[in-house]
Amino acid sequence: MKKVIVLGGGLVGSVMALDLGSDPNYDVTVADKSQEALDRIAKKSNGAVHTRNDVDFADPDSIERAVKDYDLVIGAVPGFLGFQMMGAVIRAGKSMSDISFMAEDYFLWDEEAKKAGVTIFEDVGVTPGFSNVLIGSAVHQLDEVEDVDIYVTGLPKEPKEPFNYKFVFSPDDCIEEYVRPVRFKKDGKIVEMPALSMNEVYKFDIPGLDLPEMEGFLTDGLRSLLKTIPAKNISEKTLRYPGTADRLKFLRDIGFFDLEPIEIKGCKIAPREFFAALAYPKMKLEDDEVEFTFFKIDVTGKKDKKTVRHTFVMYDERDMETGYTSMARTTGFPCVIMGRLIAEGIVDMPGVNTPEMIGSNQVAVKRFIEEMEKRGVKVHHEVKEL
């Protein structure tokens, strides 16, 4: 039996802990400061998942002490805590699968992870994450890769004004998508531009759904793909209901997403905190709301001198029986599955890695897809000569 600790018991961390806790081969503990969240997880698991509230995620020494008695770590802390968490886990000599969407260059820990002989996988969510596994696998099957196009979204099926959006992952991380500059690759060069650039908004119909035509705008989710995939052109477009990009750009441009405190009638407050207090409650997903996650990935290149395109399409809805949101499922399950591959020795890659790096390991890729399908998350894969 493998001893696993999940750092973070939020929307996604709880799903990962419960998924692992349902397997008798794993002895699972989840750590979080919220006793309410821990009690909810313990109750839902019928006591199969242990809990602890004594880990301070802001204190690397606390994390290092906490993980030392476990075989594997699953990371699900907020992005701004992810980098130092990774260092603490490595110093403790533990392998980890992580979804903490950190701003820092996590490859700075690579040498230390190799010296410690531990396998670290970062950005193992949905996109980046599951998408990277599929992209890595497709690239491995091509002689030459030319273009990678990613379209992704997580939305309520019934949009409601004024936002037509509900949070399905960390609200602060979500807002960062509309603030952080966008990076993509065009004609072999990495290009940077402001988020929500209105001259780069695309129209997109999600097949098989009676939904309005979506708008897609470039977002900064490519991360490691810009370095690891030798394509000339790589882009990620996030899909939202019509008008969303324009509204968000207006809010951002007048300063609502700023982090620098301003003074209002003798009180200092960051505009984003003010916005959060007003807007976040209105964008909370209700327990009976159905939301979905969708991505479409095109990987185009050469095979035997012919132009070939691999297309992957995934659609998933909230599981109303378990209550798991689709975003929590499609983000949490990849991280857990990668953790299983590490624990079982199918993936043994000392250092800091990203999901596309297992693309050449077809045993790992096959197992990864099978495990997702067991959990009801299926991908349609089509290969076409152009």
Side-chain angles (χ1 to χ4, degrees):
M1 181 178 288
K2 297 288 185 181
K3 291 186 66 178
V4 182
I5 184 167
V6 179
L7 300 178
L11 281 172
V12 181
S14 60
V15 171
M16 296 194 291
L18 291 165
D19 181 83
L20 276 172
S22 66
D23 188 333
N25 294 308
Y26 290 88
D27 181 3
V28 181
T29 298
V30 60
D32 199 281
K33 276 197 168 184
S34 169
Q35 192 58 50
E36 181 183 351
L38 295 176
D39 291 343
R40 187 166 56 247
I41 294 168
K43 182 179 180 181
K44 202 159 188 174
S45 73
N46 292 320
V49 175
H50 313 298
T51 64
R52 53 188 299 180
N53 62 6
D54 62 336
V55 185
D56 183 356
F57 296 150
D59 180 1
D61 291 337
S62 176
I63 294 173
E64 188 175 346
R65 290 192 300 269
V67 304
K68 67 179 181 179
D69 294 326
Y70 295 88
D71 301 309
L72 177 72
V73 179
I74 302 292
V77 304
F80 70 93
L81 295 172
F83 187 76
Q84 63 181 21
M85 175 203 64
M86 181 182 290
V89 170
I90 292 170
R91 286 191 296 274
K94 303 300 175 182
S95 293
M96 176 175 69
S97 179
D98 183 43
I99 60 164
S100 304
F101 200 80
M102 63 191 74
E104 297 90 345
D105 180 4
Y106 44 77
F107 283 113
L108 292 173
W109 290 118
D110 183 54
E111 186 176 345
E112 192 165 337
K114 286 176 178 172
K115 288 179 180 177
V118 297
T119 296
I120 305 291
F121 270 86
E122 180 54 41
D123 284 348
V124 199
V126 55
T127 56
F130 189 22
S131 59
N132 296 45
V133 172
L134 301 174
I135 291 167
S137 176
V139 168
H140 181 69
Q141 296 174 59
L142 294 169
D143 299 326
E144 178 185 347
V145 60
E146 297 170 346
D147 303 296
V148 177
D149 294 297
I150 305 168
Y151 297 86
V152 60
T153 192
L155 289 169
K157 284 195 76 173
E158 296 183 8
K160 296 177 183 177
E161 294 287 355
F163 297 105
N164 292 328
Y165 182 79
K166 293 295 180 76
F167 286 123
V168 287
F169 61 98
S170 166
D172 290 334
D173 286 350
C174 181
I175 295 299
E176 277 297 312
E177 287 190 353
Y178 313 133
V179 176
R180 189 173 58 242
V182 173
R183 293 171 302 151
F184 59 99
K185 191 183 282 189
K186 186 174 182 179
D187 298 328
K189 296 181 180 179
I190 296 177
V191 179
E192 185 173 300
M193 65 189 301
L196 300 172
S197 296
M198 298 310 293
N199 61 331
E200 293 287 348
V201 175
Y202 305 81
K203 302 298 183 182
F204 190 92
D205 278 314
I206 297 180
L209 294 180
D210 184 20
L211 293 172
E213 184 181 54
M214 299 289 169
E215 61 181 22
F217 46 88
L218 291 165
T219 43
D220 191 46
L222 294 174
R223 311 272 279 179
S224 61
L225 294 175
L226 292 171
K227 296 180 180 179
T228 60
I229 301 300
K232 294 179 181 177
N233 304 293
I234 311 177
S235 68
E236 178 199 73
K237 302 174 186 72
T238 292
L239 306 176
R240 292 288 185 261
Y241 287 112
T244 299
D246 198 35
R247 296 181 189 186
L248 291 169
K249 185 175 185 297
F250 171 75
L251 290 170
R252 184 196 65 191
D253 289 352
I254 63 174
F256 271 107
F257 300 158
D258 291 352
L259 294 171
E260 187 68 29
I262 60 174
E263 187 170 324
I264 305 175
K265 293 185 176 181
C267 298
K268 283 195 170 183
I269 186 170
R272 192 183 298 189
E273 290 181 8
F274 178 71
F275 175 78
L278 287 175
Y280 286 8
K282 294 180 175 63
M283 288 190 279
K284 182 180 182 296
L285 189 73
E286 302 299 329
D287 291 341
D288 59 349
E289 279 190 277
V290 177
E291 47 78 57
F292 68 91
T293 307
F294 167 86
F295 68 56
K296 176 177 180 287
I297 302 165
D298 289 324
V299 182
T300 307
K302 298 289 187 183
K303 181 67 175 177
D304 298 328
K305 299 183 179 180
K306 297 177 181 178
T307 301
V308 174
R309 175 172 294 158
H310 288 256
T311 297
F312 302 92
V313 176
M314 183 209 73
Y315 177 84
D316 184 70
E317 286 189 6
R318 183 176 196 161
D319 185 334
M320 300 307 291
E321 184 176 341
T322 63
Y324 297 166
T325 66
S326 172
M327 185 58 71
R329 285 161 46 81
T330 56
T331 302
F333 292 156
C335 192
V336 165
I337 291 166
M338 188 67 79
R340 289 172 180 269
L341 296 179
I342 295 169
E344 295 172 24
I346 295 173
V347 171
D348 182 14
M349 300 167 63
V352 175
N353 307 277
T354 51
E356 66 271 19
M357 292 180 177
I358 71 167
S360 61
N361 184 341
Q362 289 303 299
V363 172
V365 172
K366 183 173 182 291
R367 172 73 181 280
F368 202 105
I369 295 171
E370 288 174 349
E371 290 290 335
M372 289 296 287
E373 289 181 346
K374 284 181 186 178
R375 293 159 176 78
V377 182
K378 297 183 179 180
V379 171
H380 175 71
H381 179 203
E382 180 180 80
V383 184
K384 182 186 295 185
E385 285 189 14
L386 302 181

